[in-house]
Amino acid sequence: MPTLFDPITLGAIEAPNRIIMAPLTRARATRNAVPTPIMADYYAQRASAGLIISEATGISRIGLGWPYAPGLWNDDQVQGWKPVTSAVHGAGGRIVAQLWHMGRLVHPSVGEGQPVSSSAITAPDHAHTYEGNQPYVKPRPLDLSEIPAVVADYARAARNAIAAGFDGVQIHAANGYLIDQFLRDGVNRRSDAYGGSIENRIRLLGEVTRAVAQAIGADRTGVRISPNGEVQGVDDSDPEPLFAAVGAQLAEIGIAFLEAREPPADGSFGRSTRAPIAPVIRQAFGGPFILNSDYDAGRAQATLDSGLADAISFGRSFIANPDLPARLRAGVPLAKPDAATFYSQGSQGYVDYPAAA
């Protein structure tokens, strides 16, 4: 069986190891969602990952509701990303852009107008905004006539990602954001072609993925899902057949890789509420399969040994350990990240974590 340190082919990307950097929102862009120079330093420091999946990156103004998060819908943003991808490649790394539409989790003070979703159901808790935490706003359901434009926004962002120097993209279909709001029946109450049956609820993901694959190639297109457990108010009553259908659809499209965030029952960021669904998804998908959430080196290698996954993505471990692959190989204790600086705008807690001696 492969080790974490063996190479893997992910579509058009030849990754030198199976330690993937998971997407991590860090809020270091401008208010106009333009990447800043410090982001090039941050990502280049972590270029020893087999593959870097960028922080979630907005495909449109209406779809981006996180303060100081980056975008990929205009040329200023493309130009801002170019030094980042160049720095990663210069350090020997590979990087894909995660494409993000937050749906009902966009607050109008950050996004543009009333948020949209599959259905008119307000998200729980509070939105993070420039003016502090504010209650979420009730979304309006996307009209059938509007959906082609959303699909086109994903395709445009994918083309922009390639123009910015990314090696590919990952479509964010997880964690309670727009596509997940269509996938799972806890939020999707539609009665049209995008609601009700599993076939209908996976339709938007299929349309977006096909459009992105057509724009930049299926071999440069990945997808992220979160099949198990409630995330930001989104869950499903019967996830196994749903995500088996998702896996089969994505296999048919021929994407480069599929990543599933499936935390353990005692996870530190979210908890699974059912037995693992990953085995069902892996069987249905058949292509390169990446698992994420709360992995340490031992559990990660055991998962590869079991055949359940081909690679493991690490999130918060990469924040405080820019040289994570080397640390895992050497068995060096991992540094702990400072949660207070996760979303701050400065260098502290961002580019000042040292490599192991």
Side-chain angles (χ1 to χ4, degrees):
M1 300 300 293
T3 73
L4 288 168
F5 310 103
D6 288 330
I8 183 173
T9 300
L10 303 171
I13 299 169
E14 298 294 333
N17 61 63
R18 297 168 187 243
I19 300 167
I20 309 302
M21 181 173 165
L24 293 158
T25 295
R26 300 306 311 276
R28 261 70 176 190
T30 71
R31 284 199 177 209
N32 291 323
V34 176
T36 54
I38 196 172
M39 291 168 61
D41 297 334
Y42 168 77
Y43 282 111
Q45 288 175 353
R46 289 152 180 83
S48 63
L51 173 66
I52 295 172
I53 304 172
S54 83
E55 63 205 275
T57 300
I59 63 166
S60 64
R61 181 71 272 174
I62 193 172
L64 182 60
W66 192 275
Y68 298 109
L72 264 171
W73 67 83
N74 65 39
D75 189 60
D76 286 345
Q77 295 157 356
V78 170
Q79 297 306 316
W81 274 115
K82 285 183 176 180
V84 179
T85 60
S86 178
V88 170
H89 292 148
R94 299 137 188 85
I95 183 169
V96 298
Q98 190 188 60
L99 305 184
W100 197 26
H101 191 305
M102 295 173 65
R104 68 177 186 163
L105 299 175
V106 175
H107 193 275
S109 68
V110 182
E112 183 179 83
Q114 184 180 9
V116 297
S117 184
S118 57
S119 304
I121 301 173
T122 307
D125 301 322
H126 294 80
H128 179 52
T129 76
Y130 290 113
E131 289 77 38
N133 290 337
Q134 298 191 54
Y136 282 113
V137 172
K138 187 175 183 177
R140 61 177 183 83
L142 271 170
D143 188 81
L144 284 174
S145 65
E146 297 177 291
I147 290 177
V150 173
V151 173
D153 285 342
Y154 277 98
R156 175 188 62 187
R159 289 190 294 269
N160 284 346
I162 298 302
F166 284 98
D167 299 297
V169 304
Q170 183 192 63
I171 298 163
H172 198 342
N175 296 358
Y177 297 114
L178 180 69
I179 294 176
D180 204 22
Q181 292 161 27
F182 274 78
L183 287 175
R184 299 203 270 180
D185 63 13
V187 170
N188 187 339
R189 308 290 173 80
R190 300 174 75 99
S191 58
D192 58 18
Y194 292 86
S197 69
I198 287 174
E199 179 184 9
N200 285 354
R201 284 184 280 127
I202 69 174
R203 190 181 308 278
L204 179 62
L205 174 58
E207 291 178 349
V208 167
T209 307
R210 289 186 184 93
V212 168
Q214 183 175 7
I216 67 169
D219 60 348
R220 296 191 181 275
T221 302
V223 171
R224 182 179 232 226
I225 55 175
S226 53
N228 195 335
E230 179 270 330
V231 188
Q232 302 195 98
V234 176
D235 204 352
D236 194 78
S237 63
D238 192 11
E240 286 199 15
L242 169 63
F243 285 98
V246 166
Q249 176 177 244
L250 297 175
E252 180 182 349
I253 297 170
I255 64 171
F257 65 90
L258 175 60
E259 181 195 17
R261 178 184 170 271
E262 190 167 45
D266 59 349
S268 60
F269 182 69
R271 291 171 171 82
S272 291
T273 54
R274 298 173 175 85
I277 301 171
V280 174
I281 300 168
R282 180 161 179 72
Q283 183 175 11
F285 178 59
F289 189 48
I290 302 168
L291 283 178
N292 166 260
S293 200
D294 289 286
Y295 280 92
D296 58 20
R299 180 168 166 250
Q301 186 58 56
T303 300
L304 296 189
D305 291 344
S306 73
L308 183 57
D310 300 297
I312 303 296
S313 65
F314 296 80
R316 285 161 292 163
S317 299
F318 261 112
I319 292 177
N321 301 277
D323 56 340
L324 182 63
R327 290 184 188 230
L328 294 181
R329 184 187 285 274
V332 175
L334 300 186
K336 302 295 184 184
D338 176 13
T341 60
F342 280 179
Y343 311 121
S344 57
Q345 279 67 70
S347 61
Q348 184 180 359
Y350 191 59
V351 295
D352 57 353
Y353 289 108

